[in-house]
Amino acid sequence: MREDVEALDIRDVTANWVNAIVLQAQIDERIKALADLAHTPLFFGRLDYLHAPGADLAEGAEGEQFYIGRRHVHDADGDPMVIDWRAPVSQPFYRASKKDPQDIALRRRFGYTGGELTAYEDEHLSDPAEAAAVSKLLQQEIERPRVGPMRDIVATIQPEQDEIVRSGLSGSVCVQGGPGTGKTAVGLHRVAYLLYAHRDRLARTGTLVIGPNRSFLHYIEQVLPALGELEVKQATVDDLVAREGLEVRATDPAETAVVKGDARMAEVLRRAVRSHVGRPTEPLMVVRGSRRWRVPAYELEEMVEELQNRDIRYGAAREALPQRIAHAVLVRMEQAGEAPDDRVQDAVARNAAVKAAVKEVWPLVEPAKLVLRLLSDPDFLAEHAHDVLTADEQKLLLWPKPFRSVKSAKWSAADLVLIDEASDLVERTHSLGHVVLDEAQDLSPMQYRAVGRRCTTGSATVLGDLAQGTTPWATRSWDEALAHLGKPQAVLEELTAGFRVPREVIAYASRLLPSISPGLAPVSSVRETPGSLRISEVAEAADLDAAVLEACRESLAHEGSIGLIAADARIPALAEALLAAGLPYLSPGEETTAESRLTLVPASLAKGLEYDYVVLDEPAAIVDGEPDERTGLRRLYVCLTRAVSGLTALHAAPLPPALA
């Protein structure tokens, strides 16, 4: 298929050089999408239908056989050899069961090792004599060692996951899923499915995956390309709100960041933007040739009030005002017997007197300067935060020492979110067709609003776990979060079956749930791995580093990736100890290889990552590294649930009471 595309000759089919460049770019993208992936088989399953799909069963139509794979593959004559996993005919591979065979006589799963076919497994779904059984190949694929970036799960999608993946483009979906339930994979595969089912529409409007940090995005970046989808953009929330020339050089105290992230700030900013609109007090005189046309002040005031009452964007109203004034002048011209046309109206709108009046009444607002003034000027803030923020909250917002200019200001990440909100009040933010928001529980209401602006005319897939909220402003409920996002009608789905974390490990971590997220159902893992959990107390704190190094060596004796997770403050000491011991390590996001399998992970960056074996250093230090106990215990919950095969936790200080 790739060679066919490479052999295309476009010299006789393009009208000009521009068409040729565009067509060649599309061909290059197609060739890139058809690249072979090492150790990735083209098919992983087979379906034998009792009857041809779509045929009239009463006519006794013969069955058909389909191979299911990551990509559609056809032969030299164009006949399909492998059916894309997203096609409707492939759906029974994920949904059919002994109770509901969906006209499937046989489902076959293929097992591969390094890209080589090594096994297959059959289920005769329509045979009542054959009992239902757990698929060993499915289990082996789930438990395969994690080396390198995150991989797709097209061979192992479960029925409840498939329902979410194939949900329609028009509706938004929120997925609450505990550790190891596959919510991130479900979100990415839903994007792949939507691009398959609505390719033309999403090609025009665009898709975006938003992750918590760069390390996480690097970890997941190969999933969609492996499925042939190359056009999906990836970003963090900080990337979305970044402004050219504005650099994040400050970190807000937790209590300040909570106020800046509060949804009430949107009202403060709205008032501040609208406060720039003035009241016309003088009539406007427009000179055209030898004639003078007068627009009285009361009429100008009516125009301003009408635009304000429409509640359109500040910038759009500012652009509309000169046209309103010009129209009033044209009415007077027509009453005087003239016959002006649209060109005259445009000329009047550009008249110097009209432009001066608009500048006076509806001045230009620069979002960064507006936020700078709010954070610097107590009186300006108090005027627009009256009855919205308390006096104490206003004090938290104000800089101790005001900055002179936008360039010299030391902006925080939360400040740029405020600037983004102000920018949208002035000029509408471009909306995409679909946005995936992962680790959504950590966003503030203002950050939700920033994401929501990117999908006002599109839909969203929101992924998260309330128990893993590790910011002081972490969301308390999905209803609240979805309201801030602008998607209150989104369908809430819950994944409770765990496929990654061993049962013993997730049960231990779930001891924290009553303290961190009361009422949330614990994950029920399908994987029972005896010996996967080891909690060891070190008698002396001075011996902790040596015990951690020994645990890393023991873990490296196993196959797969190793993650050494520790409180951020402990990372420098552990890095030094690892190097002194001759144990090279990677940073989060760097790709593990067969030769380099140990990653040193600060607790703050562990979310969303997974390792075959995890060595957890000093749980109490992880809890103490956060501004409050609940956030600290949530951070610990995240760290405890990163292991796929085994967890070793070492501590010198007493364990948190919830775990002891």
Side-chain angles (χ1 to χ4, degrees), residues 3 128 148 219 223 253 264 345 360 362 421 423 455 482 567 582:
E3 288 168 357
Y219 177 61
V223 174
R264 292 174 295 163
Q345 179 166 331
E360 179 70 25
W362 211 293
E421 178 84 25
S423 297
C455 55
L482 293 169

Side-chain angles (χ1 to χ4, degrees), residues 425-506:
L425 290 167
V426 174
E427 186 175 345
R428 184 182 297 277
T429 304
H430 173 68
S431 176
L432 300 166
H434 192 76
V435 170
V436 175
L437 176 61
D438 205 353
E439 302 295 351
Q441 73 280 345
D442 275 338
L443 269 61
S444 70
M446 291 299 286
Q447 287 175 317
Y448 277 118
R449 290 175 62 88
V451 174
R453 285 192 281 278
R454 271 76 185 178
C455 55
T456 49
T457 58
S459 54
T461 301
V462 181
L463 311 165
D465 179 12
L466 295 177
Q468 295 187 61
T470 52
T471 55
W473 50 83
T475 189
R476 290 167 292 190
S477 76
W478 289 122
D479 286 344
E480 184 181 311
L482 293 169
H484 294 313
L485 191 70
K487 304 293 181 186
Q489 304 303 319
V491 176
L492 178 62
E493 303 280 1
E494 189 168 4
L495 297 175
T496 57
F499 304 98
R500 172 171 58 79
V501 185
R503 188 176 302 170
E504 296 78 6
V505 175
I506 195 66

Side-chain angles (χ1 to χ4, degrees), residues 578-613:
L578 287 170
L579 292 177
L583 288 173
Y585 64 88
L586 303 167
S587 297
E590 291 185 305
E591 191 170 322
T592 55
T593 64
E595 295 75 30
S596 187
R597 298 184 290 122
L598 174 63
T599 303
L600 179 59
V601 187
S604 61
L605 295 182
K607 191 170 296 178
L609 305 179
E610 59 182 28
Y611 302 93
D612 287 291
Y613 292 88

